[in-house]
Each structure stands twice: as structure tokens, then as C-alpha cells.
């Protein structure tokens, strides 16, 4: 199970925190090591690209905005971009 799966499972709480209360989101980690771990762990599917984790997390947050916040896909994309511009969604991933 990945962090984006947990965000999807608890989308109502994520929306409440980020969409309603204004929480900040930090996506951080050593992507290459995570990808290598996922490639060799029997229980996890193989990720072909090291950038999928940040994109998956953003996608799960976007889905929370659509499902719980009633946004359209286009509005959710704009909202994610706004979070990034405001510094409320910060991605610090390296490989």
C-alpha cells in the first residue's frame, strides 16, 4: 500500500484538512531508493518511473477535491496549481 492509496481511503479527512481548514502538504523523499525498494519487494507492484510517487500523491489529493469538495476535474487541477503557487503544496523529492 502506498501513501496515495491511504489518501484515497481517507479522502474525506484529507479534504477537511486541506480544502476546508487550509492544511499544508509536503511530499518528500528519496525517490530512487523508494523505487528500487518497490521493484524488489514481492508485495509491491513494479514502478517503472521514479517520479510516480509525487504524481500519485497529487492525483489522490485532486481526487479528494473532486469527490469530497465537489470540484470538476478542471477546477481540481487549478486548485492543485494554486496550492503549489501559495506554497501550501511543496514537493521535495530527489533521486
Amino acid at each position: 500500500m502506498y501513501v496515495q492509496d491511504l489518501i484515497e481511503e481517507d479522502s474525506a479527512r484529507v479534504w477537511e484538512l486541506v480544502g476546508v481548514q487550509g492544511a499544508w502538504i509536503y511530499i518528500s523523499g528519496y525517490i530512487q531508493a523508494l523505487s528500487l525498494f518497490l521493484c524488489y519487494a514481492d508485495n509491491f507492484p513494479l514502478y517503472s518511473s521514479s517520479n510516480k510517487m509525487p504524481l500519485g500523491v497529487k492525483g489522490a489529493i485532486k481526487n479528494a477535491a473532486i469527490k469530497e469538495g465537489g470540484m470538476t476535474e478542471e477546477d481540481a487541477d487549478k486548485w492543485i496549481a494554486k496550492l503549489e503557487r501559495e506554497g501550501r503544496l511543496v514537493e521535495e523529492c530527489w533521486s
Side-chain angles (χ1 to χ4, degrees):
M1 183 164 281
Y2 304 107
V3 66
Q4 55 265 40
D5 299 324
L6 297 173
I7 292 169
E8 294 276 357
E9 279 185 12
D10 206 8
S11 63
R13 181 73 175 134
V14 169
W15 174 252
E16 173 63 28
L17 290 170
V18 180
V20 177
Q21 296 182 25
W24 293 40
I25 303 160
Y26 292 94
I27 305 170
S28 180
Y30 182 55
I31 304 270
Q32 194 169 22
L34 176 63
S35 294
L36 289 173
F37 170 74
L38 295 176
C39 291
Y40 291 104
D42 293 335
N43 310 24
F44 296 98
L46 175 67
Y47 269 164
S48 60
S49 174
S50 63
N51 67 352
K52 288 197 176 194
M53 186 274 290
L55 293 175
V57 169
K58 288 181 186 178
I61 295 165
K62 174 184 167 179
N63 289 340
I66 293 168
K67 179 181 174 187
E68 308 296 340
M71 291 187 184
T72 64
E73 187 169 344
E74 183 179 340
D75 287 342
D77 284 332
K78 289 178 183 177
W79 179 69
I80 292 288
K82 181 181 176 208
L83 292 176
E84 290 176 316
R85 279 193 315 274
E86 293 175 346
R88 288 184 47 214
L89 181 106
V90 178
E91 181 182 326
E92 187 174 317
C93 300
W94 59 93
S95 56

